[in-house]
């Protein structure tokens, strides 16, 4: 029987929005979550820097943890590094990319916003998705690295300024007042969904990729013979945090941990 573990990677804690969907659908899988805080944020880094970082992490953790499935729970990394990672490893790799296709189908006004990091907004991959699945829709793009920081802040229990969230989203809404659908094309953003909904109640659909990713993981696990009744109770989930030194302050992690065991790794 293969070890039923999934390695989930993101620049920070954003990928926990994907992990919670995987845990809800597949509680029999063990999760190793890597928050690459040593290189946070990804959204303002070049494609080359992200590819190099991801290949290093996948090589190192792929070897030490031997996961059955790898999930790149980051749109910024997936839209530039997926092909390279898939060539690098024999382990199935699931990427998280902007949910433009379902959003285009859902929108009733035909006006869609895409909220992501600057990196994802500028990627050729994102523009191909729009051409392929939303060419008959009006699509407005907006990149924000501040919202990524605010999501990190929220999970550390630091109070969020709702006014600032409203201001960060305003440029998107201003460009197209008829917008009824927004793609949350950064895994940090579903963590702010409550605040977004409160700030802009006129938006009907906030669309993310979390559930689709969990279904893909469930399918890939099944393909490897991993299913609920065939598995023993998994080990406690683990959260790995990268740091350039071992000077990481454990206390700054505590609000994040929940039922995860934590470990700092030097990368
Ligand atoms: N969570 C990431 C994403 O989905 C990136 C956040 C960042 O590091 O800028 O795009």
């Amino acid at each position: 029987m293969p070890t039923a573990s999934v390695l989930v990677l993101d620049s920070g804690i954003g990928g926990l929005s994907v992990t919670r969907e995987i845990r809800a659908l597949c509680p029999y899988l063990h999760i190793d979550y890597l928050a690459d805080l040593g290189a946070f944020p990804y959204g303002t880094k070049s494609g080359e820097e992200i590819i190099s970082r991801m290949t290093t992490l996948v090589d190192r953790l792929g070897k030490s943890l031997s996961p059955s499935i790898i999930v790149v729970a980051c749109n910024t990394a997936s839209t530039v590094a997926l092909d390279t990672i898939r060539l690098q490893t024999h382990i199935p790799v699931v990427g998280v990319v902007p949910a433009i296709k379902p959003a285009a189908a859902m929108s009733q006004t035909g006006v869609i916003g895409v909220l992501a990091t600057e990196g994802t907004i500028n990627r050729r991959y994102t523009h191909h998705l729009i051409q392929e699945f939303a060419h008959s829709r009006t699509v407005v793009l907006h990149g924000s690295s501040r919202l990524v920081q605010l999501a990190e802040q929220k999970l550390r229990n630091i109070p969020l300024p709702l006014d600032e969230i409203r201001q960060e989203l305003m440029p998107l809404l201003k460009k197209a007042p008829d917008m009824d659908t927004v793609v949350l094309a950064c895994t940090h953003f579903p963590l702010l969904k409550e605040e977004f909904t409160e700030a802009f109640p006129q938006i009907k659909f906030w669309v993310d990729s979390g559930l689709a990713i969990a279904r893909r993981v469930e399918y890939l696990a099944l393909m490897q013979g991993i299913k609920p009744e065939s598995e023993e109770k998994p080990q406690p989930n683990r959260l790995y945090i990268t740091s350039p030194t071992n000077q990481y302050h454990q206390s700054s992690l505590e609000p994040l941990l929940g039922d995860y065991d934590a470990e700092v790794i030097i990368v």
Side-chain angles (χ1 to χ4, degrees):
M1 178 59 58
T3 312
S5 84
V6 180
L7 170 61
V8 182
L9 305 104
D10 182 35
S11 61
I13 46 74
L16 291 175
S17 69
V18 177
T19 307
R20 73 184 173 198
E21 303 282 355
I22 299 173
R23 292 182 65 182
L25 194 66
C26 315
Y28 49 93
L29 294 174
H30 165 80
I31 307 278
D32 286 312
Y33 184 91
L34 179 90
D36 188 16
L37 291 174
F40 176 86
Y42 283 179
T44 50
K45 293 200 165 46
S46 71
E48 291 72 28
E49 283 174 284
I50 291 172
I51 292 172
S52 152
R53 186 76 182 175
M54 290 304 294
T55 48
T56 304
L57 295 174
V58 166
D59 184 55
R60 184 151 158 198
L61 290 152
K63 281 187 186 135
S64 61
L65 302 173
S66 303
S68 304
I69 299 163
I70 295 174
V71 178
V72 181
C74 173
N75 293 260
T76 311
S78 295
T79 50
V80 71
L82 267 188
D83 290 347
T84 313
I85 300 169
R86 285 189 173 130
L87 287 174
Q88 178 193 359
T89 177
H90 63 279
I91 302 164
V93 179
V94 183
V96 177
V97 299
I100 288 166
K101 188 180 178 184
M106 264 177 218
S107 172
Q108 290 158 358
T109 60
V111 183
I112 298 164
V114 177
L115 189 63
T117 63
E118 283 95 343
T120 301
I121 293 297
N122 292 321
R123 295 266 192 274
R124 214 176 303 149
Y125 194 109
T126 305
H127 293 270
H128 280 162
L129 285 178
I130 295 170
Q131 269 160 25
E132 196 173 352
F133 300 114
H135 54 269
S136 61
R137 306 301 210 181
T138 302
V139 182
V140 179
L141 300 153
H142 181 58
S144 169
S145 43
R146 181 66 188 137
L147 287 173
V148 175
Q149 288 167 352
L150 290 173
E152 290 276 328
Q153 203 172 302
K154 181 175 177 180
L155 278 215
R156 287 172 174 78
N157 293 337
I158 302 169
L160 288 189
L162 194 61
D163 269 359
E164 204 181 337
I165 292 184
R166 197 173 279 123
Q167 265 170 34
E168 280 296 318
L169 282 178
M170 200 56 101
L172 184 70
L173 278 290
K174 260 198 181 149
K175 281 185 220 164
D178 287 349
M179 183 181 297
D180 68 343
T181 304
V182 175
V183 181
L184 299 175
C186 169
T187 53
H188 279 75
F189 296 165
L191 303 169
L192 295 175
K193 198 165 156 186
E194 265 173 38
E195 288 77 7
F196 291 162
T197 311
E198 192 180 335
F200 292 98
Q202 70 269 40
I203 299 297
K204 261 186 128 164
F205 308 109
W206 299 94
V207 190
D208 68 73
S209 311
L211 182 58
I213 300 305
R215 289 196 175 124
R216 182 74 189 147
V217 167
E218 181 186 40
Y219 170 79
L220 290 171
L222 195 62
M223 290 295 99
Q224 296 179 52
I226 304 161
K227 40 184 183 215
E229 65 273 22
S230 65
E231 276 311 301
E232 285 167 25
K233 206 173 158 22
Q235 299 294 310
N237 295 316
R238 287 196 79 80
L239 179 69
Y240 296 88
I241 293 170
T242 64
S243 170
T245 66
N246 56 5
Q247 297 300 305
Y248 210 90
H249 293 294
Q250 185 72 22
S251 60
S252 70
L253 300 179
E254 258 141 38
L256 300 180
L257 295 183
D259 58 352
Y260 286 85
D261 284 348
E263 193 173 309
V264 174
I265 56 171
I266 318 267
V267 182

